[in-house]
Amino acid sequence: MPDIADVYTPNPFTVPRSAVVGPLRDRMLADDIHAVPVVDDDGRPVGIVTSSDLVEEWAPSMGVATVMSADLVTVARHTSAADAARRMLDAHIHHLVVVDDDGRVAGILSSFDLLKHLAGRVEQLSHRLATGALKAQPGDHLVVRPQQLGGHERRGIIVESRGEGGTSPFIVRWLDDDRAAEVLVFPGSDAHVE
């Protein structure tokens, strides 16, 4: 499954730890924002305020540090969508703060972002099944996810398409093969192209 780089919302609205609830609540309501990372002076996340945190009628002058969730779950920009979804499920949360290599806020990922992504993937797979042919071009990734129990995912870069109109079979260089050998592959129903 692709990573979250194209799924999360980049450069989200953030507030410093010294912010107060009133203006934050107003901004969240006005802009339909459901989660706001709270950052330190270096832009690193120290908490998150969600719309659920603001359901209670807090005094407008109360500091966000009082109402924020400090048990923050963060992910790197190139986390897989599947791993991000698993982190949300395990933590029982709907938002992840995405951090860059320096640990600063790069974006925010919601469960709705993942659902939209999943819906798009389902549509792609449905279209592929309806047309009956797997199509790709050189540089695309072929992902094989065996259906049998214990099978492991295998990824490769498509070097060439040998079928008509970009269909299989493909010449593939497997990413887990140190020999960098190119092989002819006839992908089955357990394969897709990214």
Side-chain angles (χ1 to χ4, degrees):
M1 182 174 265
D3 64 33
I4 60 171
D6 297 325
V7 180
Y8 72 84
T9 302
N11 307 312
F13 173 64
T14 62
V15 293
R17 194 186 326 221
S18 60
V20 293
V21 170
L24 174 60
R25 181 186 299 130
D26 293 345
R27 173 78 185 266
M28 290 175 74
L29 286 170
D31 294 344
D32 198 26
I33 299 171
H34 297 279
V36 175
V38 180
V39 296
D40 64 14
D41 293 338
D42 293 322
R44 290 184 175 83
V46 294
I48 188 167
V49 176
T50 67
S51 50
S52 298
D53 296 324
L54 297 178
V55 169
E56 190 171 330
E57 198 58 43
W58 298 103
S61 60
M62 181 170 283
V64 296
T66 306
V67 300
M68 74 178 188
S69 300
D71 292 334
L72 184 64
V73 180
T74 64
V75 291
R77 288 183 290 193
H78 297 291
T79 300
S80 74
D83 287 343
R86 175 62 47 208
R87 299 278 305 269
M88 284 184 186
L89 286 169
D90 290 346
H92 302 283
I93 58 175
H94 293 280
H95 297 89
L96 295 172
V97 175
V98 181
V99 294
D100 63 18
D101 296 337
D102 295 325
R104 291 183 176 87
V105 174
I108 195 154
L109 178 70
S110 75
S111 54
F112 289 107
D113 295 331
L114 287 174
L115 282 172
K116 284 190 290 188
H117 173 70
L118 177 60
R121 299 286 294 156
V122 168
E123 287 174 2
Q124 286 176 347
L125 291 173
S126 296
H127 177 71
R128 189 180 104 207
L129 290 173
T131 61
L134 187 61
K135 293 184 180 182
Q137 55 189 354
D140 286 346
H141 284 228
L142 178 68
V143 180
V144 179
R145 228 180 245 117
Q147 302 298 321
Q148 75 271 16
L149 190 62
H152 72 279
E153 178 179 283
R154 192 154 195 214
R155 293 176 167 268
I157 296 176
I158 295 176
V159 177
E160 179 184 347
S161 170
R162 293 275 176 99
E164 184 178 321
T167 60
S168 68
F170 304 116
I171 301 293
V172 174
R173 186 174 61 249
W174 296 113
L175 297 175
D176 61 357
D177 185 353
D178 295 335
R179 298 171 295 160
E182 295 178 356
V183 295
L184 184 64
V185 176
F186 292 83
S189 62
D190 57 354
H192 70 275
V193 174
E194 294 180 349

